[in-house]
Amino acid sequence: MSDDAPVEPLDDDLTKELEDPPTDLDEELDDAADELSGLDTEIQGLIGSVREDTDALRLAVRYEGQSIEPLFVRGDVREQFPPADLRQRMEELTLKGLGEPAQEASLYDFGSLDATIRWYDEVLVAVFPSGEWSGMMFVFDRQESPLVDLVGEFLSDD
């Protein structure tokens, strides 16, 4: 697993120039960089912990609005998909994750949505929203799930 390293984003982030930047912009940027650095360390620690527990992690992605940042891509997945195809898959999965609002009026008594999990024939996709347009997504190799497999068998018998 030593060849599996975090990857750089597949494309450059879009930036826009401010007309009148605040006077304390350098201080704000330093504070934001410190916070992001700590968050990145925590996220890499999380990914490391997941990888210690299982070899099934294929992909880890952070998304915010239209920005999608791959944090981990397993070596065989990187070899299987050209960068453009991998990027398209990440975008599709992120859009599916954004389709589930963190809070729905009709389900208010359930509380906020903590995660969605999608079971496909070959993979499991877990999406953890952290805001209305942001969160993290993990893609794992599909492994057994007694409930999902049993219900799937029952439904396919019809």
Side-chain angles (χ1 to χ4, degrees):
M1 289 207 305
S2 62
D3 67 328
D4 297 330
V7 295
E8 294 299 317
L10 298 175
D11 56 9
D12 294 332
D13 289 332
L14 298 175
T15 58
K16 56 182 179 179
E17 197 173 312
L18 295 174
E19 290 179 19
D20 295 317
T23 55
D24 58 351
L25 182 60
D26 290 336
E27 183 179 319
E28 286 182 27
L29 290 175
D30 288 343
D31 292 343
D34 290 343
E35 288 176 23
L36 289 176
S37 173
L39 180 61
D40 286 343
T41 301
E42 290 176 23
I43 290 171
Q44 290 302 327
L46 170 64
I47 291 169
S49 295
V50 170
R51 291 183 64 213
E52 284 176 17
D53 288 344
T54 180
D55 291 334
L57 181 63
R58 297 169 59 91
L59 179 67
V61 175
R62 178 175 34 197
Y63 62 90
E64 185 161 348
Q66 294 181 349
S67 172
I68 299 170
E69 178 185 4
L71 302 171
F72 170 80
V73 178
R74 198 171 65 195
D76 63 323
V77 174
R78 196 175 320 121
E79 291 171 7
Q80 182 180 3
F81 300 102
D85 291 352
L86 185 59
R87 180 74 181 172
Q88 182 178 359
R89 284 173 176 262
M90 289 188 296
E91 289 173 357
E92 289 291 328
L93 290 170
T94 301
L95 286 172
K96 289 187 180 301
L98 291 172
E100 301 288 338
Q103 190 110 34
E104 292 201 38
S106 62
L107 303 175
Y108 73 93
D109 58 327
F110 286 1
S112 295
L113 177 68
D114 292 327
T116 59
I117 299 178
R118 288 184 164 78
W119 291 87
Y120 294 91
D121 289 337
E122 301 297 322
V123 300
L124 175 138
V125 179
V127 180
F128 299 88
S130 59
E132 187 175 358
W133 303 106
S134 62
M136 292 188 65
M137 174 180 35
F138 296 87
V139 179
F140 296 92
D141 291 327
R142 168 79 187 266
Q143 297 178 352
E144 290 184 25
S145 170
L147 175 63
V148 172
D149 295 339
L150 180 64
V151 172
E153 286 176 27
F154 175 80
L155 293 174
S156 66
D157 287 343
D158 292 345

